[in-house]
Amino acid sequence: TEKSVLVPIANGSEEMEAVIMIDVLRRAGADVTVASVENDLQVTASRGVKLVADRSIGECTEQTFDLVVLPGGMPGAERLRDCAELKEITQKQAARKALYGAICAAPAVALHSWGLLDGKISTAHPAFSDKLPDTSAVEQRVVRDGTVLTSRGPGTAMEYALALVEQLYGKEKAEAVAGPMVMR
Amino acid sequence: TEKSVLVPIANGSEEMEAVIMIDVLRRAGADVTVASVENDLQVTASRGVKLVADRSIGECTEQTFDLVVLPGGMPGAERLRDCAELKEITQKQAARKALYGAICAAPAVALHSWGLLDGKISTAHPAFSDKLPDTSAVEQRVVRDGTVLTSRGPGTAMEYALALVEQLYGKEKAEAVAGPMVMR
Ligand SMILES: [Cu+]
């Protein structure tokens, strides 16, 4: 069964994190919507890579997703945080106990600002992890607490994307996706 | 001193490989030109990510680069191979003993088709590595032979990009770039 995933992007999003999540989830068979929180569909990511979203975030507010996951990068994570539509979509996701997550700067900057990490164990980029409400597992590369998954940076993004695949489709699918990518 | 790098992209290029190389090399301070070999600057990569190049490959033929490096992905690697301008740029690079490289499908499909791996030890994606002229080191994740560097897939792309940084800027810079990315 096809799972639907929302990956929002902004000017200043970390392009490796965004693209690794989109690509790996699509390899698993997910229907991934890349949504811009900017006025334009085209954004300029943190290291100048120009990405074109599939849709504007405003077109995604009526849809229900199996997973909503935010890339990091600065100021991208702040621009995601400041998007009212994305905040509402992600809060709705949490309220209905569906999967959501973020990597790098985004757990602290976006999810935590929205109150979505309270009482949750999480991680983030080392430069942001002291801002999390529960820092007991920040050294782990991928942290899951119930329906929230968080991770640390570009170097953990592939493991993180595979952990998201495992949550949506199971361990066997995650291993099938990892194989041809030459992970180890 | 700023180093100049050419990363060509095509419809069907592997977006993780392309973006990881561009991003990591820019983190090191390189002046990276992302050049489309298609009529449009915008390409649709192998898993549907839409990337917008900085320039058309035709605008790059007069420039001299410190490094020319090709992402994999299919049919992206074939479309890079079939681009006469890119072939000429890369052959010129080899002739003047400057750095060039490729990852995943591209070492076998593009570099080897152009005669640029003859007498060189190289690697490629497991599905393509038996087509290389010298398969003695195909199990290694990153292979350097003189001025040619090759690698295997999305899972090896970050190590590969850091090896390219090390070639251009030295080991210390590669370590400085790797740190904040949370590699290990
Ligand atoms: Cu970051």
Side-chain angles (χ1 to χ4, degrees):
Chain A
T1 64
E2 195 170 73
K3 304 285 187 175
S4 61
V5 178
L6 179 69
V7 179
I9 57 172
N11 290 323
S13 288
E14 220 300 326
E15 46 270 71
M16 293 192 276
E17 294 166 0
V19 169
I20 288 168
M21 297 193 298
I22 297 161
D23 184 315
V24 171
L25 284 158
R26 285 182 176 159
R27 282 172 182 251
D31 175 18
V32 180
T33 299
V34 183
S36 171
V37 305
E38 307 288 351
N39 290 329
D40 265 343
L41 287 185
Q42 182 174 323
V43 310
T44 301
S46 66
R47 271 72 190 182
V49 172
K50 287 166 268 185
L51 300 172
V52 179
D54 302 315
R55 268 192 259 174
S56 167
I57 191 75
E59 299 172 79
C60 303
T61 52
E62 302 302 307
Q63 202 182 330
T64 300
F65 295 96
D66 294 298
L67 165 69
V68 174
V69 63
L70 282 57
M74 291 291 274
E78 293 172 339
R79 299 183 70 83
L80 297 183
R81 174 196 67 199
D82 296 341
C83 172
E85 288 97 336
L86 178 62
K87 178 182 175 180
E88 197 189 312
I89 290 168
T90 316
Q91 285 179 330
K92 210 166 57 182
Q93 193 78 358
R96 66 181 192 84
K97 312 242 181 284
L99 284 179
Y100 62 99
I103 185 168
C104 196
V109 172
L111 294 186
H112 184 38
S113 301
W114 297 336
L116 297 182
L117 292 181
D118 295 337
K120 304 284 185 184
I121 303 170
S122 63
T123 190
H125 191 274
F128 292 89
S129 53
D130 62 336
K131 285 158 184 92
L132 298 171
D134 181 336
T135 58
S136 61
V138 290
E139 306 269 307
Q140 287 178 41
R141 296 169 65 79
V142 176
V143 174
R144 182 172 79 84
D145 184 352
T147 58
V148 192
L149 283 97
T150 49
S151 189
R152 309 206 79 187
T156 69
M158 211 167 279
E159 290 152 72
Y160 181 54
L162 288 166
L164 297 172
V165 168
E166 186 175 333
Q167 285 301 306
L168 291 173
Y169 294 98
K171 203 175 181 61
E172 216 170 307
K173 173 62 84 173
E175 280 165 10
V177 169
M181 298 200 309
V182 200
M183 292 282 294
R184 277 294 114 211
Chain B
T1 63
E2 195 171 74
K3 303 286 186 174
S4 61
V5 178
L6 179 69
V7 179
I9 57 173
N11 291 323
S13 289
E14 219 303 324
E15 45 269 72
M16 295 192 273
E17 294 166 1
V19 169
I20 289 169
M21 298 193 298
I22 297 162
D23 185 314
V24 171
L25 285 157
R26 284 183 177 158
R27 283 172 181 251
D31 175 18
V32 179
T33 299
V34 183
S36 171
V37 304
E38 308 288 351
N39 290 329
D40 266 343
L41 287 185
Q42 182 175 322
V43 309
T44 301
S46 66
R47 271 72 189 182
V49 172
K50 286 167 267 185
L51 300 171
V52 180
D54 303 315
R55 266 190 262 175
S56 166
I57 192 74
E59 300 172 79
C60 302
T61 52
E62 301 301 307
Q63 202 181 330
T64 300
F65 296 97
D66 295 298
L67 165 67
V68 174
V69 63
L70 282 58
M74 290 291 274
E78 292 172 340
R79 299 182 70 83
L80 298 182
R81 174 197 66 200
D82 294 341
C83 172
E85 289 96 336
L86 179 61
K87 178 182 175 180
E88 196 189 312
I89 289 168
T90 315
Q91 286 180 328
K92 211 165 59 184
Q93 193 77 358
R96 66 182 191 84
K97 312 240 181 287
L99 284 179
Y100 63 98
I103 186 169
C104 196
V109 172
L111 294 186
H112 184 38
S113 300
W114 297 336
L116 296 182
L117 291 182
D118 295 337
K120 303 284 185 183
I121 303 169
S122 62
T123 189
H125 190 275
F128 292 88
S129 52
D130 63 336
K131 286 160 183 91
L132 298 171
D134 181 336
T135 58
S136 61
V138 290
E139 305 269 305
Q140 286 177 43
R141 295 170 66 80
V142 176
V143 174
R144 183 172 79 83
D145 186 352
T147 58
V148 192
L149 283 96
T150 49
S151 189
R152 308 206 80 187
T156 68
M158 210 166 280
E159 291 151 73
Y160 181 55
L162 288 166
L164 297 172
V165 168
E166 186 175 334
Q167 285 301 306
L168 290 174
Y169 293 98
K171 202 174 181 63
E172 217 171 305
K173 171 64 82 174
E175 280 165 9
V177 169
M181 297 201 308
V182 200
M183 292 280 294
R184 275 296 114 208

